[in-house]
Amino acid sequence: MAIKVEHELHERRKGRNRGMGLILVVLVGIVFGLTVVKVLQLGDIQQFETFDHVVRPQLEPQAGVTE
Amino acid sequence: MSDMSLSQIEHEAGMGDYFALMKPRVMSLVVFTALVGLLVAPVPVHPFIGFVAILCIAVGAGASGALNMWWDADIDAKMKRTASRPIPDGRVAPGEALGIGLALSGFAVILLLLATNLLAAGLLAFTIFFYAVVYSMWLKRSTAQNIVIGGAAGAFPPMIGWAVATGGVSVESVLMFALIFMWTPPHFWALALFVKSDYGRAGIPMLTETKGRRSTRNHILAYTLLLVPVAIGIGFTSIGGPVYLTVAVLMNAWFLKGAYDIWTRSDADSEADKHAVEIKVFKISLYYLFAHFGALLADAGLRAGGVL
């Protein structure tokens, strides 16, 4: 048996659910936006690339010159 | 059981009731002063980070407002001005306000830390603590100087804005703090002079109740005299300029005149014209603060535009 009675309470709950949903969407947007801004502000990306257990020639800019 | 749960459900709050917990009007002042603190700082801030920082400061202020309403629900119910707030009005349960206040405080401080720096986040956390615990729980009901110390909580936002941009504290940010700090007592006591009966009924030791209205008039003049050098002094720091100095001189003369008028009046005069002067000075005090911070912003704009 489906409950179909609409109460003023349901309207208020709908408003709260929508409000909460909006807040969560905004929060996700803020965290994403902050990530983008912070990453773009990093500057020279090479300084964050360090030894990671594999050979990466780009970490040794002088290698080619000395040979 | 069904009766109980039904009556509780009838009082379930809507989104607007929760928003009202955050004291939107106080929040607008916080947003404005924090934004000025951030924009007048000599270090540029990325617009998005600036937006998030101001949002965090606003939410933090709102959270402390919710905590204040949770703690003060009993006295809010006794005062006409505050009786229609969500908790005394029965629209929001006290526990909900406590939960919202704590949760939003945490979110605001942590997000501000991630977006900016430790000093700004620490100042925001301290501000919330100061307003909710030191002012609401401790001083408001125990001393007539409640307004003086409590005003510090409202004075932090421009300092936080400055810290967001520079990561530090300086003469300028301390003076902006001092401006709001010294402005709050005469602003609030002018209000207390024309809503006196309310605070008395709730048993809040407002200066008008403990030391009397004559003493309150003296206090308003004394604090306004102390406020003037702070306000003018800002004009001679790096954030001051011709617009600020002009506005500061004019507004301080106006406010001082108002404080002097309040001081020379007796309560009989005040009753006779229904507190016309006190109400006027209260309004002047609002213009006073907005004009000072608006002028700081104008000078910052002129400097950015290369005019100064």
Side-chain angles (χ1 to χ4, degrees):
Chain A
M1 188 179 74
I3 301 170
K4 285 194 170 174
V5 183
E6 269 295 321
H7 192 271
E8 183 263 337
L9 172 67
H10 295 110
E11 279 300 308
R12 247 182 306 168
R13 281 204 178 147
K14 194 189 274 179
R16 266 165 47 156
N17 292 341
R18 283 191 180 151
M20 199 61 218
L22 190 69
I23 288 169
L24 290 175
V25 169
V26 168
L27 188 66
V28 169
I30 284 172
V31 173
F32 179 69
L34 275 179
T35 309
V36 171
V37 170
K38 295 256 172 194
V39 168
L40 290 178
Q41 281 181 342
L42 286 177
D44 183 11
I45 201 73
Q46 273 201 342
Q47 63 180 306
F48 299 95
E49 198 171 26
T50 53
F51 177 70
D52 195 23
H53 305 282
V54 290
V55 179
R56 283 190 289 179
Q58 70 269 31
L59 295 183
E60 298 174 62
Q62 299 306 312
V65 181
T66 48
E67 249 177 74
Chain B
M1 182 232 153
S2 60
D3 277 7
M4 173 93 173
S5 55
L6 190 65
S7 65
Q8 279 172 346
I9 286 171
E10 292 299 333
H11 289 293
E12 207 165 297
M15 209 63 198
D17 299 322
Y18 293 130
F19 186 64
L21 276 181
M22 300 175 67
K23 300 193 175 180
R25 280 199 304 194
V26 175
M27 224 152 75
S28 67
L29 188 72
V30 166
V31 166
F32 178 62
T33 56
L35 186 67
V36 172
L38 190 152
L39 291 177
V40 300
V43 185
V45 179
H46 188 284
F48 188 75
I49 291 186
F51 162 74
V52 173
I54 297 296
L55 189 70
C56 287
I57 298 169
V59 170
S64 62
L67 291 173
N68 167 272
M69 285 203 199
W70 163 70
W71 183 260
D72 278 348
D74 57 333
I75 51 179
D76 281 350
K78 293 178 189 161
M79 292 195 290
K80 203 173 65 188
R81 185 171 69 89
T82 53
S84 60
R85 283 180 175 174
I87 300 177
D89 199 34
R91 285 176 287 143
V92 173
E96 284 183 298
L98 175 63
I100 288 171
L102 290 176
L104 288 183
S105 298
F107 265 92
V109 170
I110 298 295
L111 195 59
L112 189 62
L113 173 64
L114 294 174
T116 64
N117 56 65
L118 186 61
L119 180 74
L123 279 174
L124 181 64
F126 183 72
T127 306
I128 297 170
F129 169 80
F130 200 89
Y131 186 69
V133 177
V134 177
Y135 171 68
S136 299
M137 296 186 186
W138 179 29
L139 292 168
K140 186 173 179 181
R141 301 178 194 217
S142 64
T143 163
Q145 299 296 313
N146 49 13
I147 292 306
V148 180
I149 318 288
F156 274 112
M159 219 174 163
I160 304 174
W162 182 275
V164 163
T166 65
V169 174
S170 70
V171 181
E172 291 86 352
S173 76
V174 171
L175 280 176
M176 283 191 286
F177 171 90
L179 178 69
I180 305 181
F181 180 67
M182 297 307 302
W183 163 88
T184 309
H187 163 77
F188 238 92
W189 285 329
L191 177 75
L193 280 177
F194 60 87
V195 293
K196 47 155 184 171
S197 59
D198 256 348
Y199 290 112
R201 205 182 318 151
I204 302 175
M206 199 49 99
L207 195 63
T208 43
E209 310 293 329
T210 54
K211 299 262 178 66
R213 299 163 62 76
R214 180 64 254 163
S215 170
T216 305
R217 292 174 191 279
N218 300 343
H219 274 76
I220 289 177
L221 182 63
Y223 273 88
T224 309
L225 285 169
L226 291 171
L227 169 65
V228 172
V230 173
I232 305 287
I234 294 177
F236 297 99
T237 64
S238 72
I239 57 173
V243 180
Y244 179 84
L245 265 180
T246 313
V247 168
V249 168
L250 292 175
M251 290 306 297
N252 277 283
W254 198 21
F255 197 30
L256 204 53
K257 168 77 168 57
Y260 177 78
D261 288 344
I262 285 185
W263 181 65
T264 51
R265 275 153 70 86
S266 68
D267 278 343
D269 298 336
S270 189
E271 294 290 343
D273 62 6
K274 293 197 168 61
H275 314 296
V277 172
E278 286 76 9
I279 293 171
K280 198 185 93 191
V281 173
F282 177 74
K283 284 182 182 160
I284 294 174
S285 72
L286 286 170
Y287 300 140
Y288 180 96
L289 201 69
F290 275 98
H292 276 80
F293 279 88
L296 285 177
L297 206 53
D299 276 326
L302 290 176
R303 270 193 299 276
V307 181
L308 290 178

